[in-house]
Amino acid sequence: QVQLVESGGGSVQAGGSLTLSCKASAATYSSRCMAWFRQAPGKEREGVAIIRFDGVTTYTEFVKGRFTISQDNAKNTLNLQIDSLKPEDTAMYYCAAALGTWYFCPTRPGMYNYWGQGTQVTVSS
């Protein structure tokens, strides 16, 4: 069983930056994908960024150039650096893990086995 705990959310003004972190309670298997999703009120959960165990990353089109996903396997930590924040980035941000062997990491939330409780990001204009 893997527990994920996010931190780093907060309230910022447009144009600001935040770094979200996700700490895993145990080492995730070497073959897995980890991802950040977000969900705004009244909207479906959407993928933001994905990182495969070997460091290959995938970003949703609307965050490219502003969001950077990274991992520290030695510390069992996943990070998301968010720059140039926009009001439309306001949402609850979740980290998730999809264990198993993946060549192409899944993009659908239902394919992820473990989820954190979320950390709120609020961006004011």
Side-chain angles (χ1 to χ4, degrees), residues 90-106:
T90 295
M92 186 73 79
Y93 284 71
Y94 300 90
C95 72
L99 303 187
T101 302
W102 297 94
Y103 188 76
F104 295 107
C105 285

Side-chain angles (χ1 to χ4, degrees), residues 58-110:
T58 304
Y59 294 94
T60 301
E61 192 63 31
F62 54 79
V63 304
K64 283 184 178 179
R66 298 192 300 121
F67 288 28
T68 304
I69 189 171
S70 62
Q71 61 190 0
D72 185 334
N73 291 333
K75 297 181 179 179
N76 298 329
T77 300
L78 178 73
N79 298 307
L80 184 70
Q81 173 70 35
I82 311 175
D83 298 317
S84 302
L85 278 157
K86 304 176 181 180
E88 51 264 43
D89 293 322
T90 295
M92 186 73 79
Y93 284 71
Y94 300 90
C95 72
L99 303 187
T101 302
W102 297 94
Y103 188 76
F104 295 107
C105 285
T107 58
R108 291 187 290 128

